[in-house]
């Protein structure tokens, strides 16, 4: 099972189980202290395991592009180096307790209004040097076990359908080996997502769309098996 974050494990109130409200990500980043970030991650992960959760939908490290973004408290900084280094330490702390992270929102989730239709228009240089740099640091230094693609589009293409982002950059350039999931409730084209390298669709899979794509040749069994392999490999870390 999964549970949301990143400011502490989120459980339904009906469970009656209180959880720890850790300092928000922006405050942790303001410490410039990677050791503190590691300890917070490890302590949060201990609580997550105690509640039988396997994947924490955190941390989030989108850039502070606008002070009006409704979830800036979940993000770390306007500086990608600080965001990357602090988050990499937190990820190492979380996964040291055999709890998987779902690093998010990959990428350019810069506002909360109209997240499904927002199109982030930017140059490749700005994308790589600012908006992707923190994610790159985390992949190379902390080996996150899962990554969550974002709702928005980048230069006219949904991130969950972008081969260039999920396979070309994340896997081929950075060496990411884990599972990629969509954010919750995305209704993009499941066939295009499989071909892009988005392994799991949350929280509804639309299997009929995949069956239709398999029948008309837009995807193959091998394409689906690759997604399944990455999903199963990711869950072996939780044993």
């Amino acid at each position: 099972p999964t549970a949301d974050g990143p400011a502490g494990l989120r459980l339904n109130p009906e469970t009656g189980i209180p959880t720890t409200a850790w300092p928000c990500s922006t405050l942790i980043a303001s410490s410039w202290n990677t050791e503190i970030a590691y300890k917070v991650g490890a302590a949060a992960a201990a609580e997550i395991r105690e509640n039988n959760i396997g994947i924490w939908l955190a941390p989030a490290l989108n850039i502070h592009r606008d002070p009006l973004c409704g979830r800036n408290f979940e993000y770390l900084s306007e500086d990608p180096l600080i965001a990357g280094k602090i988050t990499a330490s937190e990820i190492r702390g979380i996964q040291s307790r055999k709890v998987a992270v779902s690093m998010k929102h990959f990428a350019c989730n810069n506002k909360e209004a109209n997240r499904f239709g927002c199109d982030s228009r930017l140059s490749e240089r700005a994308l790589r040097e600012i908006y992707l740099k923190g994610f790159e640091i985390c992949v190379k230094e902390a080996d996150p076990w899962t990554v969550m693609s974002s709702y928005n589009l980048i230069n006219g293409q949904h991130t969950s359908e972008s081969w260039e982002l999920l396979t070309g950059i994340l896997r081929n350039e950075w060496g990411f080996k884990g599972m990629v999931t969509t954010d919750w409730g995305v209704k993009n084209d499941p066939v295009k997502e499989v071909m892009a390298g988005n392994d799991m669709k949350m929280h509804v899979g639309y299997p009929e769309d995949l069956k239709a794509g398999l029948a008309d040749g837009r995807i193959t069994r091998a394409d689906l098996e690759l997604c399944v392999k990455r999903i199963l490999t990711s869950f072996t870390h939780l044993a």
Side-chain angles (χ1 to χ4, degrees):
T2 65
D4 212 351
L9 174 63
R10 185 188 303 174
L11 298 177
N12 289 331
E14 292 79 9
T15 64
I17 300 173
T19 58
T20 305
W22 298 98
C24 72
S25 298
T26 308
L27 183 58
I28 295 173
S30 298
S31 72
W32 289 36
N33 191 318
T34 55
E35 184 179 351
I36 285 177
Y38 182 97
K39 289 180 177 179
V40 168
E47 185 173 25
I48 292 164
R49 281 194 69 88
E50 183 178 327
N51 286 280
N52 298 314
I53 304 297
I55 301 176
W56 192 23
L57 304 178
L61 64 153
N62 293 109
I63 291 296
H64 285 181
R65 184 177 183 272
D66 189 322
L68 299 180
C69 177
R71 290 171 76 180
N72 273 348
F73 71 97
E74 291 190 359
Y75 309 147
L76 290 91
S77 176
E78 76 283 359
D79 183 278
L81 179 63
I82 294 174
K85 289 291 187 178
I86 294 293
T87 305
S89 293
E90 184 177 1
I91 290 172
R92 289 194 295 268
I94 295 166
Q95 296 189 160
S96 71
R97 300 295 183 100
K98 293 189 180 296
V99 170
V101 303
S102 186
M103 184 175 67
K104 64 184 187 181
H105 308 89
F106 191 61
C108 297
N109 184 93
N110 299 322
K111 66 174 189 175
E112 290 305 291
N114 189 31
R115 290 174 73 198
F116 289 91
C118 174
D119 187 2
S120 300
R121 299 270 174 164
L122 68 167
S123 68
E124 182 176 357
R125 180 174 181 179
L127 179 66
R128 288 180 176 272
E129 293 186 359
I130 300 174
Y131 298 97
L132 296 184
K133 180 56 68 174
F135 290 101
E136 179 182 4
I137 291 170
C138 288
V139 169
K140 293 181 176 179
E141 296 187 4
D143 186 27
W145 296 336
T146 81
V147 167
M148 182 191 299
S149 56
S150 55
Y151 286 131
N152 56 279
L153 301 85
I154 296 178
N155 294 335
Q157 184 175 40
H158 280 286
T159 61
S160 65
E161 298 177 354
S162 175
W163 185 94
E164 290 85 357
L165 183 68
L166 303 183
T167 298
I169 294 176
L170 180 63
R171 289 194 167 97
N172 293 350
E173 290 189 24
W174 299 349
F176 176 69
K177 298 294 192 296
M179 170 180 67
V180 176
T181 77
T182 66
D183 205 336
W184 263 235
V186 169
K187 182 58 178 87
N188 296 331
D189 187 333
V191 173
K192 291 181 180 179
E193 289 173 336
V194 167
M195 297 305 294
N198 209 122
D199 304 303
M200 181 178 290
K201 196 166 187 66
M202 301 301 296
H203 57 286
V204 178
Y206 302 104
E208 296 305 318
D209 291 7
L210 291 179
K211 290 179 182 178
L214 190 63
D216 63 25
R218 285 177 293 148
I219 55 173
T220 66
R221 181 182 177 91
D223 296 324
L224 296 172
E225 287 176 345
L226 180 57
C227 291
V228 171
K229 179 181 178 181
R230 290 191 289 239
I231 292 168
L232 295 177
T233 301
S234 296
F235 281 103
T236 62
H237 293 295
L238 308 181

